[in-house]
Amino acid sequence: MDADVVVCGAGVGGLAAACALSSRGFRVLLLEKSAEPSRVAKGEVLQPGALRVLRDWGVARRLEERGGLRLARLVARDTAGAPLMALDYDRLREQERWLLAHDYPVILDALADRLDGSVEFRRGALVRDLLRDADGRVVGVRVAEGGHEREVRASLVVAADGVSSRLRKAAGIEVRRDEYPHRLAAFDIADAPRVEQDFSAYVSERGLRLRYPLPGGRVRLYVQVGPDELRGLDADGMAGWIERLVRDTPALEPLAEALRASAANRQVLPVSRFLAPSLGIPGLALVGETGHAVHPMAAQGMNTSITDAESLARHLGDDLGAEAVDAGIRSYEAERLPELVHIGQTSHNAARMITDLSWTGRVVGRRALRCTGGNDRLRYTVMHNMAGLGQHRLSLLDRLHQVGVLPDPRARHLPAWA
């Protein structure tokens, strides 16, 4: 074997897998096709469940030392900024009772700095295909690097090569991606006036406006837009668009001048969701966005990638024989798939409350926000689920309370398990 484990892809999922598996004492080869880390706006807010894992690896401390910002609340607001539903993370009974915001490249660097001598990290290495034995079991990968191809053999292959995964397709695991009808325009606003240290989602007639602070006096703003809404806008057209945005959401007016100065660096991102029907086949496991994706509004994508990696490493034994590894993959899938189903549905429901622009969606979504926001029991349950600290499903009766169809006699009490 060239390595005990070969991890394909060095986004958050792949780096987390390398951290988790090397912590178990395995020799890990981490392969990444890109020469430099991605600079795309993504995965900048860490939830308590992921922070708990990163704390054990020493990565959470590194992020705070490098300027990471603790955010105390996740708040849904009206366009004037008044709270409709506030999730106060300091009410959690955990060591990490906050969200942590930092730039995606810094998070990647902090994970990479955690890698020890048992990990060989190679950039500019494109994984082209899977290697299989006579029985069809995955036993390695074929890699193109430096103008040459070679075969890399390992006891376990971890596919962390993203939403459009080449390895997932090679494994025969088909997924159906459900595209949302909108896009998210991402703005990195420099020299911004100070904003509240929270993760705020504004509910407007034109959908979601999401903002949170980043290190260096910057603010990240996501704006729900139509697929072609910003296409071809020149500077004057963009200035007019920003004016309409502020008129639509007056709470963003303090950011308007800084937003105009930063608008040229915007990114427009497609939004979709999917969950693979399986997280592995013999010899191969999927982690992170290779196996699932959700709407970014609920800040779950990067966090589930990290907890995927922790779960996979925990389910592998010390024996790296084929039978033992495959049993670990099956055990990992049995634990994670039900959790990911619930996380995906929770994220989709949260997104629909704000992004659904149909008449029914607006009425039901806004009502659900207000009723959930006024119910301590439901609000704590939603927060605990989103924090990645465990999955407590809402019953049909809870859903009726959530949209105000029935009064909740337990509304002022925390859940019995809290």
Side-chain angles (χ1 to χ4, degrees), residues 6-143:
V6 58
V7 178
C8 307
V12 165
L15 284 164
C19 287
L21 293 163
S22 64
S23 296
R24 293 290 317 279
F26 301 140
R27 293 178 303 118
V28 178
L29 176 60
L30 175 59
L31 302 174
E32 167 57 43
K33 66 179 180 180
S34 300
E36 297 292 336
S38 171
R39 300 291 163 180
V40 69
K42 64 180 293 186
E44 295 164 326
V45 178
L46 292 158
Q47 295 274 5
L51 287 172
R52 182 166 59 188
V53 175
L54 296 181
R55 181 232 307 160
D56 292 343
W57 296 344
V59 174
R61 175 181 52 80
R62 285 186 173 91
L63 289 172
E64 297 224 40
E65 289 172 350
R66 297 173 190 186
L69 300 179
R70 293 186 179 186
L71 310 183
R73 308 169 83 206
L74 192 158
V75 191
R77 302 178 182 273
D78 66 17
T79 54
L84 300 172
M85 180 182 74
L87 305 183
D88 297 301
Y89 276 64
D90 59 2
R91 299 186 69 186
L92 291 169
R93 299 175 181 180
E94 302 290 331
Q95 183 170 337
E96 288 78 18
R97 294 183 294 171
W98 56 83
L99 303 153
L100 188 72
H102 217 320
D103 293 284
Y104 184 64
V106 178
I107 294 170
L108 295 179
D109 288 344
L111 286 165
D113 290 347
R114 166 63 177 77
L115 303 178
D116 58 25
S118 64
V119 181
E120 181 183 357
F121 187 3
R122 303 183 67 88
R123 286 193 171 276
L126 173 62
V127 179
R128 290 197 178 278
D129 204 354
L130 298 172
L131 300 179
R132 298 176 185 263
D133 64 16
D135 297 321
R137 183 181 187 274
V138 174
V139 293
V141 293
R142 184 170 291 106
V143 184

Side-chain angles (χ1 to χ4, degrees), residues 197-271:
Q197 298 292 100
D198 64 27
F199 184 95
S200 281
Y202 297 92
V203 185
S204 82
E205 290 301 307
R206 298 176 63 196
L208 172 69
R209 285 85 175 89
L210 176 64
R211 70 109 186 99
Y212 50 86
L214 286 171
R218 293 156 42 239
V219 170
R220 171 71 68 215
L221 176 66
Y222 287 103
V223 179
Q224 179 177 338
V225 296
D228 300 314
E229 186 171 331
L230 300 184
R231 190 187 300 274
L233 287 186
D234 59 14
D236 290 339
M238 197 67 210
W241 183 88
I242 292 171
E243 182 179 342
R244 291 190 296 275
L245 171 67
V246 172
R247 189 166 59 243
D248 170 59
T249 310
L252 298 178
E253 196 280 332
L255 295 174
E257 183 176 347
L259 175 58
R260 280 190 285 270
S262 304
N265 298 321
R266 66 187 181 270
Q267 300 176 52
V268 179
L269 310 172
V271 190

Side-chain angles (χ1 to χ4, degrees), residues 282-303:
L284 172 78
L286 312 185
V287 300
E289 290 185 332
T290 301
H292 50 83
V294 297
H295 195 287
M297 198 207 83
Q300 296 297 310
M302 178 171 58
N303 295 274

